[in-house]
Amino acid sequence: MRQRSLIAITAALAAGALTLTACGSRDDDGGSDSGNGGGGGTTVVIGVDAPLTGDLSALGLGIKNSVDLAAKTANKDNYVEGIKFEIEALDDQGQPSVGQQNATKLVANDDVLGVVGPLNSSVGESMQKVFDTAKLVEVSPANTNPALTQGVDWQKEKVRPYKSYFRTATTDAIQGPFAAQYVYNDSKKKKVFVIDDKKTYGAGLAATFTEEFKKLGGKVVGTEHINPDTKDFNAVATKVKNSGADVVYYGGEYPQAGPLSKQIKAAGAKIPVVGGDGIYSADFIKLAGASGTGDLATSVGAPVEELPSAKEFVANYKAAGYKDAYEAYGGYSYDSAWAIIEAVKKVVEDNDGKLPDDARAKVVDAMQNVSFDGVTGKVSFDEFGDATNKQLTVYAVENGAWKSVKSGTYTG
C-alpha cells in the first residue's frame, strides 16, 4: 500500500481547509462542488472509497482530496465537453464488510461511472464482484495484492478474475522481492524476523519478501502473526530480541508498525524494522518516535516531489488548500481518477458527444486502452489491469522524516 518526505509539505498544506462535496446524484443545476467551469451539461460522478476516519484516515483523506482535485481540474478545463464531474466519497473504515456496502451504494447511483479506491487489498477483494457485476470500473491507487488482478493461484498461473478492476499501484509480487534485495544486498542483513498482521495485504507482502530473502541466501530466524487490534507487542518484541535477528520485516500498516518498532527497540533489539507502502506514512514516524530512525519502507513509484511530472499536481494541491496531506497515494489517486476521466472522454467522443445508455460497460472497455502521461509517470494497464509502471523506492527514516535512498525496478 503507502509516503514521501511529507512532513514539511504536510505543514504547508495545513494552512487551509476546503469543504468537499460528496454528491451522490445530479441535482437541478447539474450538481457542483467539484469544480468551477464546465458549465451545466451531464453530471458524471466519480466514486471514492477509502478509510476517511480511524487509524488509516491520513492515507484515505489524501486519496479523497486527490480525486477531488482531478475532478476540479477536468471541470475547470472543460476537459470532457458537456460533462461535469463530481465525487461521492464513502468511508470504508478499512473494513471489508463496510467496503462491500459502499460498493453496493455506489452501484445504485446511476451517475457513478467509475470508482477510485480502496486503500486496503482486503477491502478491494470484497468490492470487486459487486462492481464487476454492475460493469462499473474500479481503479485502485493502493491495492497491491497480486491475486486481485492475477487470481489466487497467480504464482502458478495468472488468470484475471474481474474485467472491471484496474490499479495504478504496482503489486506485492514486485514490492516484497524488491525490499528483500535491498535488505540483503544493500543493507547486508542476513537474519530476518518476519511479522505480519494476518490481513490480505500484510500476509501477502510478508510471503513474497520471505521467498526472495531466502532465495538470496538470507535466513528467517523467526515468524510471528500479530493482532492488528492491539498496540501491545511486548511479547513479540522479546521473541525478536531473543532470535538474534539483525532486521525485522513487517507485513502490515503504520498504526501497528509504529508501536511495534518502538517496542522492539525498547526490548533491546536495536535493529531496523522494514515494511512496505503500508507503513510509509508520516504517522509511522510519529508512532515509532526517535527510535524509528533507520527504519525502512518501500513504496510504489518514485517520490512524487522528485518527479517533474508531479510539480503541477503538488502546486495545485497546495493551492486548493486541503488541510490533509496527499500522502503516499495522492499522485496515484489523481492518476486513477484521471484514467476514469480519460475513459469517459473516449466514450463520449465515440458517441457523438454524449453518454450512451450503456456508458458503464463502455467505460470499462475504454479503460483497458487508456494511456497518458500522469502525475506518477506513464499511466497505462496491462492485460490483467495492472499498472505498466513497475518502479519502486526504498525510504529510510532520517531526522524525523522519510528520505528516499534507492529507486528502481525489481529484477527477478
Side-chain angles (χ1 to χ4, degrees), residues 214-286:
K214 287 161 70 173
K215 191 188 300 181
L216 291 167
K219 184 178 181 183
V220 178
V221 296
T223 60
E224 191 66 61
H225 307 289
I226 59 109
N227 177 0
D229 295 326
T230 185
K231 294 293 191 296
D232 182 0
F233 306 117
N234 285 305
V236 67
T238 300
K239 289 182 181 179
V240 170
K241 169 67 168 64
N242 294 336
S243 71
D246 54 13
V247 65
V248 171
Y249 189 82
Y250 176 65
E253 296 153 332
Y254 67 82
Q256 295 75 36
L260 178 64
S261 172
K262 194 172 191 176
Q263 291 169 42
I264 285 171
K265 271 77 161 186
K270 309 296 186 185
I271 58 177
V273 170
V274 183
D277 53 332
I279 81 167
Y280 179 53
S281 168
D283 284 9
F284 169 84
I285 297 171
K286 294 175 191 172

Side-chain angles (χ1 to χ4, degrees), residues 92-102 122-127:
D92 63 30
Q93 302 164 38
Q95 300 298 320
S97 59
V98 180
Q100 191 172 66
Q101 292 166 15
N102 289 348
S122 56
V123 178
E125 200 172 32
S126 76
M127 304 174 85

Side-chain angles (χ1 to χ4, degrees), residues 3 17 24 33 41 100 115 131 157-158 160 177 193 239 251 262 269 292 300 313 334 363 366 368 377-378 381 402:
Q3 236 62 300
D33 278 356
Q100 191 172 66
V115 178
F131 288 136
E157 182 184 12
K158 294 179 174 62
R160 187 175 184 177
F193 196 106
K239 289 182 181 179
K262 194 172 191 176
V300 294
F313 165 75
Y334 187 98
V363 168
Q368 189 62 55
K378 186 74 172 178
F381 306 99
W402 288 109

Side-chain angles (χ1 to χ4, degrees), residues 1-2 4 47-51 59-60 62-64 66-67 115-121 138-144 165-170 277 299-301 326 328-337 340 376 381 387:
M1 272 174 335
R2 282 77 141 135
R4 318 295 178 231
V48 182
D49 178 86
L59 297 175
I63 290 172
K64 173 189 174 185
S66 300
V67 175
V115 178
V116 176
L119 171 71
N120 306 82
S121 291
E138 171 187 14
V139 188
S140 174
N143 291 169
T144 52
Y165 179 88
F166 298 80
R167 54 177 152 202
T168 53
T170 194
D277 53 332
S299 193
V300 294
Y326 50 79
Y329 301 106
Y332 292 91
S333 302
Y334 187 98
D335 284 349
S336 294
I340 293 170
T376 59
F381 306 99

Side-chain angles (χ1 to χ4, degrees), residues 28-29 32 60 64-65 80 107 121 136-137 142 151 172 220 227 238 250 261 307 313 333 336 342 346 367 369 405:
D28 294 338
D29 63 358
S32 171
K64 173 189 174 185
N65 295 345
V80 184
V107 164
S121 291
L136 179 59
V137 78
D172 295 332
V220 178
N227 177 0
T238 300
Y250 176 65
S261 172
L307 289 171
F313 165 75
S333 302
S336 294
E342 289 282 1
K346 170 70 171 160
M367 184 63 70
N369 296 313
V405 292

Side-chain angles (χ1 to χ4, degrees), residues 206 373 383 411:
D373 293 321
E383 68 269 32
T411 53

